[in-house]
């Protein structure tokens, strides 16, 4: 971006991986191992997995495999990822960004489950938002909008008054499908049509307005 965009919202909905936490190293390790076990091209697999719950990625990559096998495999994958925090760090600006949201309506909306999201946020030195929509909270993975719509509902805010922060194609599509505006974070985001895109969270500033809205200066 060459100029600052100003967005007004009543609540912010934040993805975790790639948005607040850089977990690419462990995601690459786990999914490349999985790819080799199943005879798949690891590079092609990595184009699919970001933003989705593991079983949803597996269903796309192995369409003929029964879903119960995908769910069992995903449980093993989640345990493997939760045990591996090597290289998990905060996205630049994430700590300051979260601190600036204190007292403002916001939620974490992640495809990770509770153990994985808790471990990764801790490894990155980031505080968990009070409201968290995780894999256990929803019946459908991103790009389905269920998680974002549930976050908005629990905050008591209309979807149109929410702004989503996302990095992945699946997550950006979910935000769009929920009727929300989307701030894209990082190099993956720009190809998927967010409203605005930034390199990282150092390029976002939050201001509480007197009328109770949140003003975002992005860029």
């Amino acid at each position: 971006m060459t100029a600052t965009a100003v967005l007004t919202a009543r609540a912010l909905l934040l993805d975790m991986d790639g948005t607040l936490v850089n977990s690419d190293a462990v995601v690459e390790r786990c999914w490349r191992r999985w790819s080799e076990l199943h005879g798949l091209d690891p590079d092609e697999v990595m184009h699919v997995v970001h933003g989705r719950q593991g079983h949803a990625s597996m269903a796309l990559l192995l369409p003929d495999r029964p879903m119960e096998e995908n769910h069992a495999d995903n449980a093993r994958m989640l345990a493997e990822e939760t045990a591996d925090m090597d290289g998990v760090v905060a996205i630049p600006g994430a700590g300051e960004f979260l601190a600036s949201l204190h007292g403002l309506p916001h939620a974490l909306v992640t495809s990770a489950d509770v153990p994985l999201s808790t471990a990764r946020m801790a490894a990155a030195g980031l505080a968990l938002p009070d409201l968290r929509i995780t894999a256990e909270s929803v019946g459908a993975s991103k790009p389905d909008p269920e998680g974002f719509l549930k976050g908005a509902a629990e905050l008591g805010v209309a979807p149109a008054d929410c702004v989503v922060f996302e990095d992945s194609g699946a997550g950006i599509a979910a935000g769009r499908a929920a009727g929300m505006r989307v701030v894209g974070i990082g190099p993956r985001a720009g190809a998927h049509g967010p409203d605005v895109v930034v390199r990282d969270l150092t390029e976002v500033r939050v201001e509480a307005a007197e009328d109770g809205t949140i003003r975002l200066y992005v860029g």
Side-chain angles (χ1 to χ4, degrees):
M1 290 184 58
T2 57
T4 300
V6 182
L7 303 176
T8 301
R10 292 195 174 274
L12 307 182
L13 302 176
L14 317 173
D15 175 51
M16 182 183 70
D17 292 300
T19 300
L20 298 172
V21 173
N22 183 345
S23 56
D24 281 1
V26 60
V27 172
E28 290 264 349
R29 281 195 295 275
C30 291
W31 279 100
R32 285 183 180 277
R33 281 196 297 268
W34 183 89
S35 304
E36 289 162 8
L37 283 173
H38 294 281
L40 299 173
D41 181 342
D43 292 330
E44 293 301 317
V45 168
M46 294 314 302
H47 285 304
V48 171
V49 301
H50 290 291
R52 292 180 171 86
Q53 291 186 38
H55 62 78
S57 295
M58 293 169 186
L60 290 172
L61 293 161
L62 298 173
D64 297 326
R65 190 165 77 156
M67 276 306 296
E68 57 265 28
E69 290 187 34
N70 294 334
H71 283 286
D73 217 358
N74 185 48
R76 290 189 289 271
M77 174 79 75
L78 285 168
E80 186 179 342
E81 289 185 291
T82 303
D84 184 356
M85 292 295 128
D86 187 21
V88 175
V89 296
I91 294 289
E96 297 83 353
F97 175 70
L98 286 169
S100 74
L101 300 184
H102 181 71
L104 301 176
H106 67 287
L108 188 72
V109 182
T110 176
S111 294
D113 63 1
V114 169
L116 182 57
S117 58
T118 302
R120 281 190 177 159
M121 290 289 279
L126 299 175
L128 281 163
D130 290 338
L131 177 59
R132 302 181 286 277
I133 308 298
T134 62
E136 296 93 338
S137 309
V138 297
S141 169
K142 300 171 185 176
D144 191 282
E146 182 186 357
F148 287 126
L149 291 171
K150 186 165 187 176
E154 294 205 17
L155 291 168
V157 176
D161 290 327
C162 295
V163 169
V164 165
F165 286 74
E166 266 285 2
D167 73 299
S168 70
I172 291 166
R176 288 285 198 198
M180 300 171 182
R181 291 155 294 157
V182 182
V183 175
I185 307 295
R188 278 191 291 268
H192 302 289
D195 292 271
V196 291
V197 138
V198 291
R199 181 183 58 226
D200 56 44
L201 290 165
T202 65
E203 298 182 351
V204 181
R205 184 166 63 86
V206 177
E207 184 180 277
E210 290 183 3
D211 63 357
T213 60
I214 302 166
R215 194 166 288 122
L216 296 169
Y217 297 88
V218 185

